[in-house]
């Protein structure tokens, strides 16, 4: 390879490396969940997540993905959690509820919430952000609840703040 071509190749590799490094540290870092058919979620710790509206057919089984892997205490089935969460519905891709809006996290025993949380959150750790896509049978079922319609697939993004 002549020196001019080699210098161009080296410059291209350096430019690619710089682009990749700046993308990794960007403020709007997005977890690559879209490649597996799930909504994409921003991975900015300490900030309300942005969730892309889902497309296609909703999954029929519980889907979980760690957007940010926590390093603190691990969630157990018997844990009481303090979390920030955002809830979006699959059918229309709109945010239904978010603890971030009120500025206060929620605290509750994991055993007292829907089955999708009880099955999808154990193993998550404090400091983590987990995406849960919950089919209706593990959510609010055929009756729905409040603003959640019957047989709705739920999309939760849950930030684990404390576990006891």
């Amino acid at each position: 390879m002549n020196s001019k071509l080699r210098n161009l190749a080296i410059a291209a590799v350096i430019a690619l490396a710089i682009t990749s490094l700046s993308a990794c540290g960007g403020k709007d870092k997005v977890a690559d969940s879209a490649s597996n058919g799930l909504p994409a979620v921003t991975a900015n710790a300490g900030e309300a997540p942005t969730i892309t509206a889902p497309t296609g057919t909703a999954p029929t089984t519980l889907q979980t993905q760690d957007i940010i892997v926590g390093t603190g205490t691990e969630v157990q089935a018997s844990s009481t959690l303090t979390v920030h969460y955002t809830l979006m519905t699959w059918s229309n891709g709109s945010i239904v509820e978010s603890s971030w809006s009120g500025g206060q996290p929620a605290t509750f025993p994991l055993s007292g919430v829907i089955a999708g949380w009880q099955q999808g959150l154990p193993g998550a750790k404090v400091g983590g952000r987990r995406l849960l896509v919950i089919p209706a049978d593990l959510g609010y079922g055929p009756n729905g609840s409040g603003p959640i319609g019957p047989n709705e697939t739920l999309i939760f993004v849950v930030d684990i703040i404390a576990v006891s």
Side-chain angles (χ1 to χ4, degrees), residues 31 64-70 123-125 128-131:
T64 66
Q65 181 181 19
D66 284 323
I67 306 302
I68 300 171
V69 177
K125 295 181 178 180
R129 173 174 286 176
R130 185 168 282 185
L131 169 66

Side-chain angles (χ1 to χ4, degrees), residues 57-108:
T57 304
T60 56
T61 59
L62 176 66
Q63 304 293 308
T64 66
Q65 181 181 19
D66 284 323
I67 306 302
I68 300 171
V69 177
T71 58
T73 305
E74 185 172 316
V75 175
Q76 306 293 323
S78 59
S79 296
T80 294
L81 307 178
T82 299
V83 302
H84 263 305
Y85 67 91
T86 300
L87 166 60
M88 174 185 277
T89 55
W90 187 281
S91 65
N92 62 17
S94 64
I95 302 292
V96 174
E97 187 175 298
S98 177
S99 65
W100 292 94
S101 302
Q104 293 295 319
T107 300
F108 50 82

